[in-house]
């Protein structure tokens, strides 16, 4: 029973355009939602988070949107750059535990 | 400026052997975690610690033990390795609740059990 789902295993986007990564969850009790970025042979790197009481959080080129009624969040990257090519994980936090999605591999095409 | 350091980076074990993975952080974080990552799956929490001398079970604790004798170190032990424990293991630490601050991860240990 996956509580956090990333339904797109991969996504290809042209450099300079917007990348939109999606995540769905099932548990209404999550307190925070986070996005991590991972390069091969490295650990995940924290990108941005959002509290369950907010619907948007922005940090530079990265914006996370939370739709509680749909139990859906998304990460927007504008504009997309070659260095953004990586695997992106969505995670949800509750009670000392992070529940992770399976990840979406983002490929930025030149 | 090391952050979170994991040793070793790679290891091959025979079924039934034991080993210890070491995680060290230099950020004075209270919370530390051990995760495993398997192909096509998200990270799964094995054990975690909310402070020196404390440990707790995560989602997949069976076959593993942990110890946090010093605040900066978190050890993960496999007493009798099984092929199902072939995975990439990540250690992480955080200052407070992970939702607000996120985790800092080590670069991982790739373990193969044959």
């Amino acid at each position: 029973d996956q509580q956090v789902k990333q339904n797109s295993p991969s996504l290809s986007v042209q450099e300079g355009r917007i990348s939109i990564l999606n995540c769905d969850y099932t548990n209404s009790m999550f307190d925070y939602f986070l996005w991590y970025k991972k390069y091969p042979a490295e650990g995940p790197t924290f990108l941005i988070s959002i509290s369950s009481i907010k619907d948007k959080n922005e940090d530079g080129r990265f914006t996370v949107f939370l739709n509680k009624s749909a139990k859906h969040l998304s990460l927007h990257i504008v504009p997309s750059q070659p260095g953004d090519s990586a695997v992106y994980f969505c995670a949800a936090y509750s009670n000392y535990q992070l529940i992770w999605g399976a990840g979406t591999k983002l490929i930025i095409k030149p | 400026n090391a952050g979170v350091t994991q040793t070793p980076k790679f290891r091959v074990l025979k079924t039934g052997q034991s080993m210890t993975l070491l995680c060290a952080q230099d950020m004075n974080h209270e919370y530390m975690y051990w995760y495993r990552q398997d192909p096509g799956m998200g990270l799964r929490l094995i054990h975690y610690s909310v402070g020196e001398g404390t440990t707790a079970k995560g989602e997949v604790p069976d076959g593993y033990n942990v110890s946090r004798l010093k605040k900066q170190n978190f050890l993960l032990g496999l007493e009798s390795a099984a092929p199902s424990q072939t995975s990439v293991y990540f250690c992480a630490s955080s200052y407070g609740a992970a939702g607000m601050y996120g985790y800092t991860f080590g670069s991982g240990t790739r373990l193969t059990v044959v």
Side-chain angles (χ1 to χ4, degrees), chain A residues 2 31-34 36 38 41-46 48-51 87 89 93 95-103, chain B residues 31 33 35 37 40-45 48 50 57-59 90 96-108:
Chain A
Q2 284 185 288
D31 299 309
Y32 289 89
F33 301 89
L34 303 91
Y36 283 80
K38 185 182 181 302
E42 293 185 12
T45 302
F46 171 66
I48 190 169
S49 66
I50 186 167
S51 166
V87 176
F89 290 97
Y93 173 80
N95 195 26
Y96 298 116
Q97 300 208 21
L98 273 183
I99 308 299
W100 296 72
Chain B
Y31 299 74
Y33 315 83
Y35 281 91
Q37 186 190 14
M41 300 181 71
L43 280 71
R44 291 183 294 168
L45 183 64
Y48 65 99
V50 301
K57 294 180 180 180
E59 182 185 356
F90 288 102
M100 290 189 288
Y101 304 106
Y103 292 162
T104 301
F105 278 86
S107 58

Side-chain angles (χ1 to χ4, degrees), chain B residues 14-34:
Chain B
K14 293 183 179 178
T15 297
Q17 286 185 318
S18 63
M19 77 163 294
T20 300
L21 281 67
L22 173 63
C23 177
Q25 54 97 0
D26 61 1
M27 297 169 286
N28 202 35
H29 284 171
E30 288 292 338
Y31 299 74
M32 296 187 74
Y33 315 83
W34 275 108

Side-chain angles (χ1 to χ4, degrees), chain A residues 14-92:
Chain A
Q14 202 75 35
E15 181 180 355
R17 306 292 291 268
I18 182 171
S19 295
I20 300 176
L21 297 115
N22 294 304
C23 180
D24 297 299
Y25 62 95
T26 57
N27 186 348
S28 301
M29 301 303 291
F30 289 129
D31 299 309
Y32 289 89
F33 301 89
L34 303 91
W35 285 95
Y36 283 80
K37 174 181 181 179
K38 185 182 181 302
Y39 293 119
E42 293 185 12
T45 302
F46 171 66
L47 266 181
I48 190 169
S49 66
I50 186 167
S51 166
S52 61
I53 63 173
K54 298 196 172 183
D55 53 22
K56 179 181 175 182
N57 189 25
E58 205 168 345
D59 184 3
R61 295 186 299 115
F62 302 92
T63 302
V64 57
F65 295 93
L66 176 61
N67 182 335
K68 288 181 284 294
S69 61
K71 293 191 176 67
H72 177 84
L73 67 155
S74 60
L75 174 68
H76 294 210
I77 306 173
V78 184
S80 300
Q81 298 174 354
D84 295 331
S85 293
V87 176
Y88 288 78
F89 290 97
C90 165

Side-chain angles (χ1 to χ4, degrees), chain B residues 52-90:
Chain B
E52 182 178 315
T54 72
T55 63
K57 294 180 180 180
E59 182 185 356
V60 289
D62 293 342
Y64 305 95
N65 57 75
V66 288
S67 65
R68 183 107 182 261
L69 298 179
K70 292 183 179 180
K71 185 177 184 178
Q72 63 267 34
N73 296 336
F74 196 28
L75 279 62
L76 178 71
L78 286 74
E79 292 182 346
S80 179
S84 60
Q85 294 177 304
T86 293
S87 188
V88 180
Y89 291 85
F90 288 102

